[in-house]
Amino acid sequence: MGSFINDKLLPKVLAFVNTKGVQALKEGMILTISPIIVGSIFLILECFPIPAVANFFAETGLAAIFDQAYSSTFAVSAFVAAIGIAYNYCKLEGIEPLGGAIVSLNAFFLIQPHKAGEVTNVFDIGAWAGGKGMVGAIICGLLVGVTYSWFIKKKITIKMPAGVPQGVVNSFASLIPGIVIIAAFDAVYAITTMAFGQTPIELIYTIVQTPLQGLSDSVPGVLATTFLIPFLWFFGVHGSSIVSGILTGLWTANYMDNQALFEAGKELTVANGGHIVTQQFVDNVVNLGGSGCTLGIVIFLLFFAKSATLKSLGKLELGPAIFMINEPLLFGLPIVMNPIMAVPFILAPMVAGLTQYFAIYLGLAPMYRGIVAPWTTPPIISGMLIGGWRTALLQIVIMAESFAIYFPFLKKLDAQTLENEQNAANAADDDDDDW
């Protein structure tokens, strides 16, 4: 089984993951993190959890000022994705990337409805610039990146004479691919609006994004995600980077939809179209301590391990684990390619995912909306930020589950390690006696 995975399965997985499209998608979505977190700060201020403070902000007009900052960062993350994905694809192709990024933004503007209510010639920031437009932004960024790069690499461009400033050269180089790409997107816009009465991004949302969000937001989706991340890590492949790189767009769209429901004054429930599985679901609760929900391992090493080696490793890992970094455990315990640790390493996050899913589904914990905590935020603190005391309590429950799942396996590993230490000590004593 191990040879099949290493020789047959993993090379194909890695070949897919290392394609320029997937790499550009991953790097492009990473660019959305900063404005989303910045916007989350202002969203916390706008919807301050203490009513007296929230009322003060509303009465003084500060809430509207905070909303302006939120709407200019968090709420336009699909714009950032469209730019970032095309930019990174062009960069991977080894061409000047800014021109492709600009064309991608132009194309993304083009496929949107330029109407909000009775007002025309506007972009609806509350809709297509954020979560509802995320998959459209991904498709736009990839299509433009591929097409623009092809034109530039084939030298189908306007060539300028020597001595012309590089900025001017780059601008004219993007002219022909820009005309072709925008014309093609405009043709698609004409077809969809005339034939279906909807803009391309509206069709993408209905036909592609909604089903994908539903799949990611289901029990099978949770099980698949929480299995794949530790499964890939067990073989030394960065599972979080691979899975998150592909699914981040959907998880982001999910919590942005929740935020839109909240702003519309609707209760965040499944019946109202709320989503359970979001970026916070994975980053801040499933992966407590890092991929594999390994905070339970650290608790065992610190308080229950008898071998000096594992005790030392527990002390070494405590600091990183608080900030969700567990490479010292993955390669120091080790977990990677360690058959004793395979079962709990995969099982713990799957149980954590199911526990969290049903806690939210049953209303025991809240759904996550637009408040995003960086994945490195320590547990309890992150829980309080993204969901309040109920989410913090849920994190404690999942820590206890993780500890219970890892405990019998770690006991066995600890016993083996202790025996090896004792044998090594006895061997050293025998060498001393020989002298």
Side-chain angles (χ1 to χ4, degrees), residues 288-305:
L288 287 179
S291 299
C293 199
T294 53
L295 204 54
I297 297 179
V298 179
I299 295 171
F300 177 91
L301 298 183
L302 287 173
F303 300 105
F304 296 91

Side-chain angles (χ1 to χ4, degrees), residues 193-210:
T193 53
M194 292 177 182
F196 304 103
Q198 289 186 306
T199 60
I201 200 164
E202 290 172 305
L203 278 180
I204 291 170
Y205 179 75
T206 302
I207 297 172
V208 181
Q209 180 164 334
T210 299

Side-chain angles (χ1 to χ4, degrees), residues 128-371:
W128 308 111
K132 289 179 69 176
M134 190 59 70
V135 172
I138 291 171
I139 293 173
C140 184
L142 289 174
L143 286 177
V144 172
V146 171
T147 307
Y148 185 90
S149 298
W150 183 86
F151 273 90
I152 299 298
K153 295 187 79 171
K154 293 293 183 180
K155 300 187 184 303
I156 307 175
T157 62
I158 296 176
K159 299 173 178 62
M160 303 298 291
V164 175
Q166 190 61 43
V168 177
V169 172
N170 292 337
S171 180
F172 274 86
S174 66
L175 192 57
I176 291 178
I179 290 172
V180 174
I181 291 169
I182 295 302
F185 272 75
D186 204 28
V188 172
Y189 177 88
I191 293 169
T192 61
T193 53
M194 292 177 182
F196 304 103
Q198 289 186 306
T199 60
I201 200 164
E202 290 172 305
L203 278 180
I204 291 170
Y205 179 75
T206 302
I207 297 172
V208 181
Q209 180 164 334
T210 299
L212 287 177
Q213 282 186 252
L215 183 61
S216 72
D217 194 32
S218 64
V219 171
V222 170
L223 290 175
T225 300
T226 53
F227 168 80
L228 282 173
I229 292 175
F231 176 78
L232 292 170
W233 260 121
F234 180 76
F235 293 94
V237 179
H238 202 302
S240 298
S241 178
I242 292 171
V243 175
S244 296
I246 297 170
L247 293 179
T248 291
L250 296 176
W251 294 336
T252 301
N254 285 349
Y255 70 71
M256 285 188 164
D257 282 356
N258 288 353
Q259 181 62 31
L261 284 173
F262 176 80
E263 291 176 356
K266 296 181 180 179
E267 185 180 2
L268 282 181
T269 63
V270 174
N272 285 339
H275 298 286
I276 294 174
V277 183
T278 64
Q279 193 76 48
Q280 303 97 314
F281 183 101
V282 178
D283 285 353
N284 302 118
V285 183
V286 167
N287 289 338
L288 287 179
S291 299
C293 199
T294 53
L295 204 54
I297 297 179
V298 179
I299 295 171
F300 177 91
L301 298 183
L302 287 173
F303 300 105
F304 296 91
K306 296 180 180 179
S307 71
T309 301
L310 295 189
K311 285 182 178 179
S312 298
L313 182 60
K315 294 175 183 177
L316 176 67
E317 172 60 16
L318 177 60
I322 291 174
F323 296 97
M324 308 297 185
I325 298 169
N326 65 349
E327 275 76 3
L329 281 181
L330 296 176
F331 299 101
L333 191 59
I335 293 174
V336 171
M337 300 301 290
N338 183 347
I340 294 177
M341 299 304 298
V343 171
F345 184 61
I346 293 173
L347 183 61
M350 294 180 74
V351 171
L354 289 176
T355 299
Q356 182 180 194
Y357 184 93
F358 286 107
I360 296 173
Y361 183 85
L362 296 172
L364 301 176
M367 287 183 172
Y368 305 114
R369 33 188 200 89
I371 298 172

Side-chain angles (χ1 to χ4, degrees), residues 97-128:
L98 186 57
I102 293 171
V103 174
S104 179
L105 180 62
N106 295 151
F108 187 58
F109 285 157
L110 192 158
I111 63 174
Q112 296 193 33
H114 294 180
K115 182 176 181 180
E118 297 300 320
V119 182
T120 58
N121 296 322
V122 296
F123 296 112
D124 190 350
I125 289 179
W128 308 111

